[in-house]
């Protein structure tokens, strides 16, 4: 089954993998989602408890502890970033969409879409500042804030919606030392949107090449039958 929320369009969560393998997006079209494992299900439960949404099942003690740790980190991030906890708007699990010309030099040639869903965004309307908090509860290494392409795209997508003067991004990991937020100003956000559009265009190019590698193949729905990956593994 295809994810009904994002459909067959690219998304911020695949930003790095799609950049490493330009043909990855088209290779996966009409292929079903990969089955979820126990770790993936646990992550869904932890995120639901943290964000305040409905978990798919009853949590265990470890999941509750991790969710509580994420909540405590979020509070500290807000206090440090905004210097206040007052007047904040908390938005959770929101998918943001962006539609743009398929050809940058010819807006009459149709449009493309892309999307991204953040875990938690805290917005301070008075100061026109916002921060996106991305919770990571698994064991895989996480790309740091300043070079995290997924968070950069999410910041750009949020800016298109609320036009903040400054948007920070922050990775939260239970029981781990927290990195300082990476802060994007308006010129940074404009550049992030432009880069996002160009990446998506290149992923939709008819001759987009496939490039195998650990990162881009890990969650690719075409991985089992992809000749490029099979040659890479040989």
């Amino acid at each position: 089954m295809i994810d009904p929320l994002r459909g067959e369009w690219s998304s911020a969560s695949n930003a790095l993998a799609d950049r490493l393998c330009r043909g990855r997006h088209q290779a996966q079209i009409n292929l079903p989602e990969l089955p979820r494992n126990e770790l993936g299900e646990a992550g869904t439960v932890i995120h639901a408890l943290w964000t305040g949404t409905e978990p798919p099942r009853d949590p265990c003690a470890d999941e509750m502890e991790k969710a509580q740790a994420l909540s405590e980190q979020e509070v500290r991030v807000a206090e440090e970033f905004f210097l206040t906890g007052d007047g904040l708007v908390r938005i959770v699990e929101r998918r943001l969409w962006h539609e743009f010309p398929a050809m940058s030099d010819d807006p009459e040639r149709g449009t493309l879409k892309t999307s991204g869903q953040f875990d938690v965004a805290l917005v301070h309307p008075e100061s026109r500042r916002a921060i996106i908090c991305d919770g990571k509860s698994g064991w895989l290494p996480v790309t740091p804030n300043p070079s995290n392409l997924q968070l950069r795209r999410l910041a750009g997508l949020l800016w298109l919606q609320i036009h903040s003067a400054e948007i920070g991004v922050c990775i939260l990991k239970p029981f781990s030392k927290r990195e300082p937020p990476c802060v994007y100003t308006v010129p940074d956000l404009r550049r992030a949107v432009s880069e996002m559009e160009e990446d998506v265009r290149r992923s939709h190019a008819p001759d987009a090449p496939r490039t195998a590698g650990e990162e881009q193949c890990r969650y690719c729905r075409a991985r089992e039958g992809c000749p490029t990956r099979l040659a890479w593994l040989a």
Side-chain angles (χ1 to χ4, degrees):
M1 179 180 177
I2 304 302
D3 186 335
L5 296 178
R6 67 184 179 209
E8 291 287 12
W9 298 105
S10 63
S11 68
S13 59
N14 289 310
L16 176 58
D18 286 352
R19 179 176 284 186
L20 293 171
C21 176
R22 297 294 185 182
R24 180 179 183 273
H25 174 69
Q26 294 187 81
Q28 298 182 90
I29 290 177
N30 294 326
L31 295 180
E33 296 290 330
L34 297 176
R36 296 184 68 84
N37 55 31
E38 290 185 9
L39 287 175
E41 183 182 77
T44 301
V45 171
I46 293 164
H47 275 66
L49 293 172
W50 166 42
T51 60
T53 55
E54 186 67 28
R57 59 164 171 76
D58 291 337
C60 66
D62 179 66
E63 291 163 346
M64 294 178 68
E65 288 179 4
K66 288 182 177 179
Q68 180 61 33
L70 289 174
S71 297
E72 292 170 359
Q73 286 193 11
E74 179 192 330
V75 170
R76 289 196 292 272
V77 165
E79 291 174 346
E80 294 170 10
F81 187 76
F82 298 105
L83 303 179
T84 178
D86 298 330
L88 296 180
V89 179
R90 187 176 190 259
I91 309 169
V92 303
E93 301 287 356
R94 182 73 57 86
R95 180 164 295 277
L96 306 175
W97 285 90
H98 177 47
E99 186 171 1
F100 54 96
M103 303 285 288
S104 58
D105 56 352
D106 187 358
E108 301 301 319
R109 294 284 297 275
T111 60
L112 295 172
K113 293 180 182 179
T114 190
S115 71
Q117 180 170 308
F118 55 74
D119 293 333
V120 173
L122 302 172
V123 182
H124 192 250
E126 185 178 341
S127 65
R128 297 184 58 234
R129 300 176 77 227
I131 189 165
I132 293 170
C133 298
D134 188 54
K136 301 294 186 184
S137 57
W139 56 271
L140 288 172
V142 180
T143 305
N145 287 328
S147 53
N148 192 300
L149 190 57
Q150 176 185 359
L151 294 184
R152 182 177 172 84
R153 279 202 187 179
L154 288 172
L157 288 165
L158 182 60
W159 175 71
L160 289 170
Q161 300 290 324
I162 64 175
H163 302 290
S164 291
E166 196 173 75
I167 296 180
V169 296
C170 188
I171 296 170
L172 309 182
K173 296 189 71 175
F175 317 121
S176 298
K177 183 179 179 181
R178 180 169 43 83
E179 299 176 43
C182 176
V183 181
Y184 294 104
T185 61
V186 170
D188 300 325
L189 294 162
R190 286 199 183 103
R191 188 161 53 252
V193 171
S194 178
E195 291 173 357
M196 172 177 63
E197 292 177 350
E198 188 55 31
D199 274 345
V200 174
R201 289 187 183 106
R202 292 182 67 176
S203 290
H204 281 79
D207 57 349
R210 297 190 193 182
T211 306
E214 183 177 357
E215 175 67 31
Q216 58 267 44
C217 293
R218 182 180 293 121
Y219 297 119
C220 180
R221 305 199 305 269
R223 52 177 285 147
E224 297 304 326
C226 176
T228 304
R229 176 176 178 268
L230 295 176
W232 173 66
L233 292 173

